[in-house]
Amino acid sequence: MSSTPIKKETYLEWYKSMLLMRKFEEKAGQLYGQQKIRGFCHLYIGQEAVVAGAMSVLRPEDSMITAYRCHAHAIAKGVSADAVMAELFGKATGCSKGKGGSMHLFSKEHKFMGGHGIVGGQIALGAGIAFAEKYNGVDNVNVCYMGDGAVRQGAFNETLNMAMLWKLPVIFVCENNGYAMGTSVGRTTNMSDIYKMGLGFDMPSAPVDGMDVVAVHNAMDEAVQRARSGEGPTFLEMRTYRYKGHSMSDPAKYRTKEELEEYKGRDPLIVTKATIAEKKYANEEWFAEVEAEVKKTIDACVKFAEESPYPEVGELYKDVYVQDDYPYILD
């Protein structure tokens, strides 16, 4: 059970953070259509509760690592909308200096360890970060996100085995939106209950309603307590849904309109707003103020990105090696 109480302030923060994620992604999609954002772009619309519910139990010192659908994770972890949008534009003021783009956001300051484009590549890295925390004798945890397609990678099984053997302070979170890149879970495996994959390593594992921010909060809080106390990792299957395709180039013809509308009826933003109103935590004036504040933030980050410079050509040779004067980089 959760040891972190869910207060009025918790609900209000959930709504504000999820609204910022949603509006940022909607704007990113619009700008991609205008060709102001190039390359790949994977939107998080519909999955916001998975991150918001985690942030209400994590500390700033805790780290996070994820795959390439990473805009919302970075913003939730504290990276400014300015820095994220500038990175999407490929500008020097972006959080990865314009070198990473949509899939490779990173912030050492906020302990956001990426944004990784290789499917499943971040899973072993998450365990490595958790190993470092344990080695250094601190009680920080790492939250390692992955999609339902990534659990088919061999590194997933190898990492879960090692994490459980060494009792690493890591929470593995599978954001199961049902379709990976475009193939349903039911067509890729005989076992559709992904969380059961963790049970083979005697790892505490559970399914979670990823559309319910309260359920996410409670499950994450229990997992974080376990990790901090030295009891090791947890594997959580967050059953969520993306309202857009896998990427901006995906028409999502593999699902029905009826299915999409059914999940839109469980929109975490709408549900959270209804709960706040029902509990009388805020009135319509407060909602209007939050929406205006978020709109101002989004408008400002777009302006910041558009007005920021592109990286200098010389930047191509920087941040490749730790050693600044590495002798072979220009050979």
Side-chain angles (χ1 to χ4, degrees):
M1 295 296 293
S2 173
S3 66
T4 306
I6 301 174
K7 303 177 181 178
K8 168 186 173 180
E9 292 73 22
T10 311
Y11 274 99
L12 299 183
E13 184 57 35
W14 279 340
Y15 182 77
K16 288 192 289 185
S17 64
M18 288 194 292
L19 185 64
L20 177 59
M21 296 177 207
R22 176 71 56 88
K23 295 302 181 182
F24 183 95
E25 294 292 66
E26 289 176 349
K27 178 58 71 173
Q30 179 186 355
L31 293 166
Y32 191 91
Q34 296 172 1
Q35 296 189 335
K36 292 185 177 182
I37 296 173
R38 303 297 185 95
F40 292 99
C41 186
H42 306 82
L43 303 181
Y44 201 65
I45 297 172
Q47 300 184 208
E48 295 89 352
V50 177
V51 171
M55 289 307 302
S56 52
V57 300
L58 294 173
R59 302 172 185 166
E61 298 80 19
D62 296 324
S63 60
M64 184 181 290
I65 193 168
T66 186
Y68 42 78
R69 196 182 307 275
C70 58
H71 310 161
H73 301 73
I75 290 172
K77 201 65 178 71
V79 184
S80 71
D82 285 2
V84 176
M85 187 61 80
E87 190 59 41
L88 267 60
F89 273 62
K91 297 299 184 72
T93 53
C95 57
S96 299
K97 301 182 182 180
K99 303 176 184 182
S102 171
M103 297 195 293
H104 304 100
L105 305 174
F106 187 90
S107 175
K108 178 181 179 181
E109 175 189 358
H110 297 96
K111 298 200 74 171
F112 181 69
M113 306 306 186
H116 293 264
I118 302 299
V119 176
Q122 77 282 9
I123 300 174
L125 299 179
I129 295 166
F131 176 84
E133 301 287 25
K134 183 172 183 176
Y135 183 85
N136 288 325
V138 295
D139 67 350
N140 300 335
V141 305
N142 174 264
V143 183
C144 179
Y145 288 95
M146 69 204 75
D148 49 283
V151 301
R152 309 301 162 198
Q153 297 287 344
F156 170 81
N157 292 282
E158 294 175 7
T159 302
L160 262 63
N161 180 63
M162 184 176 289
M164 196 62 193
L165 180 66
W166 290 349
K167 298 295 185 290
L168 301 181
V170 55
I171 298 122
F172 298 106
V173 178
C174 174
E175 298 192 73
N176 181 8
N177 58 35
Y179 291 101
M181 282 187 67
T183 305
S184 68
V185 171
R187 293 180 61 197
T188 58
T189 178
N190 185 57
M191 184 182 67
S192 58
D193 291 325
I194 289 176
Y195 76 93
K196 292 180 180 178
M197 297 179 73
L199 300 177
F201 304 98
D202 283 339
M203 185 180 295
S205 307
V208 182
D209 183 355
M211 304 299 284
D212 181 350
V213 69
V214 175
V216 174
H217 171 97
N218 289 337
M220 286 295 298
D221 195 32
E222 185 175 346
V224 167
Q225 289 179 61
R226 174 181 168 79
R228 290 204 205 285
S229 64
E231 296 178 28
T234 300
F235 180 47
L236 299 174
E237 177 195 348
M238 301 285 180
R239 294 174 174 175
T240 183
Y241 200 81
R242 60 173 188 247
Y243 295 152
K244 300 294 183 181
H246 170 70
S247 68
M248 290 298 294
S249 60
D250 175 17
K253 293 181 178 179
Y254 41 78
R255 62 186 180 187
T256 65
K257 292 182 180 179
E258 290 75 19
E259 179 183 279
L260 178 60
E261 290 305 314
E262 177 188 347
Y263 275 96
K264 283 187 175 181
R266 298 170 56 194
D267 189 326
L269 259 176
I270 295 175
V271 172
T272 302
K273 183 176 182 179
T275 302
I276 291 171
E278 180 185 345
K279 292 178 176 291
K280 295 183 170 54
Y281 286 160
N283 54 27
E284 286 302 320
E285 182 180 355
W286 182 84
F287 287 115
E289 289 176 356
V290 171
E291 289 171 11
E293 182 181 335
V294 167
K295 183 180 185 304
K296 184 178 178 181
T297 299
I298 299 302
D299 290 344
C301 78
V302 174
K303 184 175 186 292
F304 177 79
E306 288 181 329
E307 294 178 353
S308 292
Y310 286 104
E312 297 291 337
V313 174
E315 280 291 322
L316 182 65
Y317 305 105
K318 297 180 181 178
D319 304 315
V320 180
Y321 296 95
V322 173
Q323 184 178 331
D324 289 333
D325 59 345
Y326 190 77
Y328 308 111
I329 194 168
L330 296 177
D331 285 358

